[in-house]
Amino acid sequence: MNGLMEVLFGYAQKNLLPSYLCRDEAYVASDRCVERQEELVWAALAEGDRIYLKNLLNELEVIQAARDRAAFLYGFHLARELAGM
């Protein structure tokens, strides 16, 4: 993304995305469940094994960030196409 798209993405991520996500009851319930499950798995792992969970969760965050950017870009692209119709 170029600089302007990064600014727009940052704005959308900070100011728009949370308001859309909180409207989805299934998302909110699943988010809570994931947090609880992560805590349970973390507690069940031995200290030395927790690094594997941490690394996995970090990689999942990288993947999700890429998906978020892609969704923003294709949404923006679609909006531009529709505006040109």
Side-chain angles (χ1 to χ4, degrees):
M1 281 194 261
N2 64 33
L4 176 60
M5 293 302 284
E6 283 290 341
V7 170
L8 291 172
F9 176 70
Y11 172 80
Q13 194 173 37
K14 180 180 178 186
N15 299 296
L16 302 176
L17 185 63
S19 67
Y20 282 96
L21 288 175
C22 73
R23 296 177 196 172
D24 185 342
E25 292 178 21
Y27 170 82
V28 173
S30 184
D31 188 51
R32 288 185 191 133
C33 183
V34 166
E35 287 180 10
R36 285 192 305 270
Q37 293 300 318
E38 182 181 339
E39 291 170 2
L40 290 171
V41 171
W42 189 263
L45 289 174
E47 181 95 21
D49 293 331
R50 291 180 180 169
I51 189 71
Y52 300 116
L53 176 60
K54 184 177 179 181
N55 290 342
L56 172 64
L57 294 173
N58 287 341
E59 291 303 319
L60 289 172
E61 283 184 25
V62 169
I63 289 170
Q64 187 59 49
R67 287 181 176 159
D68 290 347
R69 282 186 158 68
F72 174 78
L73 287 173
Y74 73 68
F76 194 83
H77 177 80
L78 181 59
R80 286 181 55 203
E81 282 187 11
L82 292 172
M85 293 178 107

